[in-house]
Each structure stands twice: as C-alpha cells, then as structure tokens.
Amino acid sequence: MARSSKSLNEVLDQLREVGLKRTQARRAILDLLVREHGPFSSEEIHAKLKSHGCDLVTVYRNVIALEKVSLIRRCDFGDRVYRYEINDSHDDHHHVVCAKCSGVTVIDYCIPKKVLDSLKKKGYQNLECRLEIFGLCPQCSRGKSLESSLSDSRKNASPNN
Amino acid sequence: MARSSKSLNEVLDQLREVGLKRTQARRAILDLLVREHGPFSSEEIHAKLKSHGCDLVTVYRNVIALEKVSLIRRCDFGDRVYRYEINDSHDDHHHVVCAKCSGVTVIDYCIPKKVLDSLKKKGYQNLECRLEIFGLCPQCSRGKSLESSLSDSRKNASPNN
DNA sequence: TTTCGTGCAAAACCTTTGCAAAGTG
DNA sequence: CACTTTGCAAAGGTTTTGCACGAAA
C-alpha cells in the first residue's frame, strides 16, 4: 500500500500550527502513519510502535486529538474498530476492505456530483460520503471455501492483522 | 420515513421458514421494526418496547439471530452503534444520515456495476458496498432547536417524504 | 515557569456468556 | 417431550477518566 504523500516534517509543522506540542508520542504515531499509511486502529498503532512507542492510553488520547484538528482521519469499516490514516485532504478516496484479512486498498471512485446536488436541492447541507466496499481480496479469494457467511467473516475480520 | 412494506405476518412467517421459534420477544422486536422501520440500536429497541418487551440481553441475542437469517439488516453509521431495520429488499439502498438529529432517509443510488466489475477483474470476490452520506437534513439546516437527544430526535426525524 | 501531555491504575461502558427456568412446536 | 429461548448475574474486553509526575515551549 502506498505511503502517504505527506512528509513527516510537513505533518509536524501542522502540529505546531494547530497548537499541539510535538511530543515523542505524537511524533511516533505520525511517523508511523506517514510511513505505512494505515489505516490502523489504536491497538495496531500501539503494537507497531513497540518499545519506542507510548502507552496505549496515550495512543487513544492522541488519535482523538489528532483527528480533532484534522491531521488524521478516522475510517470505519463497520466492525466497530476505528482506524486512522494521515489526512491527505483533497480527494475523498474510499476503501476496499477484505472481509477475511482486513487488508485495505484504495479506490478513487467518488459519488457523482449530481447525487449530492440533488440532495442539496432538497435542503441538505455539509454532505459528506462514506463509502466502503467489502469483499474478499485476491489473496483471500484464492483457495478458500466460500461457505463463510457475511457475519462470520465480519467477526474474523477484527484486530488480527 | 415510511414504514416497512412488509407486514408483521409476513415477517413472522419468515421466522418459521428459517426455523426460529415465534417467541414473544421476537414478535415484539419485529413488530416494532415493521411499524417504525428504524434503523434502531439494541438499546433503542429495548427502550421502545418498555414493559411489553424483553430483557436487553434478549434483544442483543435476537438482533444477531435475526440478522443471521437475513430477516433484518444491520446498518452502520460509523459511530460504533449497530442499528437494525427490516430487511425489505434485494436492493442495497443507502442512507442519508443527519449529523445533528440522526434522522435517516433513504436514497436509491447504487455504486455503478463497472466499478465493482473492475475490482472483480482484479480478483476480488463477494463484493458488497456500504455507502452512507452524512450531512445536515433540511430541518436541521434551517432553524435550530437542537437540544434534542439522539433517541428522541431520531423518531421525530422524518426528513423528506 | 507555566502549561500541556503522559503513564498507571481504576472506572465506566457495552456486549457476550453461563446456567437454570420457562416457553414453543 | 425435546429442544429453544429467556432472564438474571457475572464475565469479558475495550475505551475513558483521575491524578500526580514529567516534558515542551
């Protein structure tokens, strides 16, 4: 999966701009997200940082803080796990999520403007789309039994990667 | 939003078809979902049923059981709360969710087949889309009396139609 | 120095599980 | 009668909170 197009320094500059201190914990978290992109859950972030990381609680607090100032964005794949990635603003890209391995790829399809325009015409404002596509990725599609039901695969698709 | 197009009896018949017993708890839950459509969380269902309802645990167990047999469908609006509605149909309809009052309306836009086809060509299987649009509904966009709680406002929210 | 952020422990929260009793077909 | 389903209590797991100490500006 491609790394973020933002550099760590850019992101750390943004930290200062929004009035958050550049602590070791935030550096580590942002560094990870710049390098590996994610999206990752708080637990995954904590696990990946290991020794040079920080307390799980600190990850929880920081993803909330960083999302609040739009430095990172929260993704939701319908399994009650919040995952975070660097917020490369501009494009709303969307995800294809593997129901088995939870692997994520990005697609650049967007909801047609006319769909949103027709809603605006009815009086809706501040529209924002959330689109995720679920399925089995090519790897998991190979050599497996299809008998798994949707809800089964959802269950298996939790933090195990 | 309009009530479900299914009648309670239809739904109860389906219960038998899939081999689930028609208990009072299931009747009550399905009756509610047929009447008010939802989608509602387990807690909301439990609260709405009040005295003639059942234990919260029973709601939890039954929404899982009913979803497993596709009698109801699970919605996810990205807030870690699973909500359920009668599974009326074939088509994947999608929701417009008001960020303020949590009112829900349905749109019938679908992801173009060609997007999914191109993924299938790459080896993806069992694709399923989740699309929700968030924004302010016409009511909330206009004036603002906004001290409403989620569960209260949700029933009053009949944006459009 | 002042303010913000962190770690640890504990609380809070929500969902699931175990089991005996009750209900359904 | 066989076997599901339920209610209650308790367990489980995750996220949040309180607070004193430590780090950043």
Side-chain angles (χ1 to χ4, degrees):
Chain A
M1 198 173 322
R3 47 175 290 160
S4 160
S5 59
K6 277 192 183 170
S7 76
L8 181 58
N9 282 336
E10 275 182 274
V11 177
L12 292 177
D13 284 349
Q14 292 184 289
L15 253 193
R16 165 176 287 142
E17 282 163 29
V18 298
L20 291 179
K21 294 188 175 177
R22 286 169 305 168
T23 66
Q24 202 194 323
R26 287 174 188 154
R27 265 178 234 266
I29 292 171
L30 291 170
D31 178 51
L32 171 68
L33 293 181
V34 165
R35 279 187 292 104
E36 297 197 29
H37 187 286
F40 299 127
S41 68
S42 292
E43 286 216 349
E44 287 170 330
I45 292 172
H46 180 247
K48 281 171 180 286
L49 294 181
K50 296 213 175 85
S51 49
H52 46 89
C54 58
D55 197 89
L56 215 207
V57 172
T58 300
V59 177
Y60 274 115
R61 284 195 266 230
N62 275 321
V63 292
I64 291 170
L66 294 172
E67 199 222 347
K68 199 165 286 176
V69 297
S70 298
L71 257 153
I72 64 180
R73 113 177 59 180
R74 193 174 82 189
C75 307
D76 166 55
F77 298 158
D79 59 359
R80 276 175 165 144
V81 175
Y82 287 160
R83 296 179 175 83
Y84 300 86
E85 62 184 13
I86 289 287
N87 192 1
D88 273 322
S89 46
H90 21 61
D91 57 2
D92 27 16
H93 70 257
H94 300 286
H95 298 99
V96 185
V97 184
C98 179
K100 181 173 286 180
C101 72
S102 290
V104 173
T105 47
V106 169
I107 55 173
D108 51 11
Y109 171 76
C110 283
I111 307 305
K113 205 166 158 302
K114 63 173 184 175
V115 173
L116 300 179
D117 283 345
S118 103
L119 286 169
K120 283 179 194 160
K121 218 167 280 172
K122 291 180 185 165
Y124 286 87
Q125 294 182 5
N126 298 8
L127 295 174
E128 195 174 307
C129 297
R130 191 164 310 180
L131 163 65
E132 317 296 349
I133 301 178
F134 297 90
L136 292 174
C137 71
Q139 287 75 25
C140 293
S141 288
R142 250 185 280 287
K144 95 295 145 177
S145 52
L146 270 178
E147 95 266 49
S148 58
S149 73
L150 177 67
S151 37
D152 282 348
S153 44
R154 265 182 192 151
K155 260 177 190 151
N156 298 335
S158 279
N160 51 13
N161 71 334
Chain B
M1 188 184 321
R3 47 175 288 160
S4 162
S5 59
K6 278 192 183 170
S7 76
L8 182 58
N9 282 337
E10 275 181 275
V11 177
L12 292 177
D13 284 348
Q14 292 185 286
L15 254 193
R16 165 177 289 143
E17 282 163 29
V18 297
L20 291 179
K21 297 194 169 175
R22 285 169 305 169
T23 66
Q24 203 193 321
R26 288 175 186 151
R27 265 178 232 266
I29 293 170
L30 291 169
D31 179 50
L32 171 68
L33 293 181
V34 165
R35 280 187 291 105
E36 297 196 29
H37 188 287
F40 299 127
S41 68
S42 292
E43 286 216 350
E44 287 170 330
I45 291 171
H46 180 246
K48 280 169 178 286
L49 294 181
K50 296 215 176 81
S51 50
H52 45 89
C54 58
D55 196 88
L56 216 207
V57 172
T58 300
V59 178
Y60 275 114
R61 285 195 266 229
N62 274 321
V63 291
I64 291 170
L66 294 172
E67 199 221 347
K68 200 165 285 177
V69 298
S70 298
L71 255 151
I72 64 180
R73 111 176 60 181
R74 194 174 83 187
C75 307
D76 166 53
F77 297 159
D79 60 358
R80 273 172 168 151
V81 175
Y82 289 159
R83 296 179 175 82
Y84 300 86
E85 62 185 14
I86 288 288
N87 193 0
D88 261 326
S89 40
H90 27 55
D91 62 4
D92 23 20
H93 72 257
H94 300 286
H95 297 99
V96 185
V97 184
C98 180
K100 185 173 286 180
C101 74
S102 291
V104 173
T105 46
V106 169
I107 54 173
D108 52 11
Y109 170 77
C110 284
I111 308 304
K113 206 165 157 301
K114 62 174 184 176
V115 173
L116 299 180
D117 282 346
S118 103
L119 286 170
K120 281 178 195 159
K121 221 167 277 171
K122 292 180 186 163
Y124 286 88
Q125 294 185 2
N126 297 12
L127 295 174
E128 194 173 307
C129 296
R130 189 158 63 76
L131 163 66
E132 316 297 349
I133 300 179
F134 296 87
L136 291 175
C137 71
Q139 285 74 24
C140 291
S141 290
R142 255 191 289 284
K144 23 241 54 206
S145 58
L146 42 133
E147 25 99 38
S148 45
S149 80
L150 178 83
S151 39
D152 283 352
S153 51
R154 161 174 271 278
K155 104 185 74 162
N156 299 333
S158 48
N160 277 343
N161 326 303

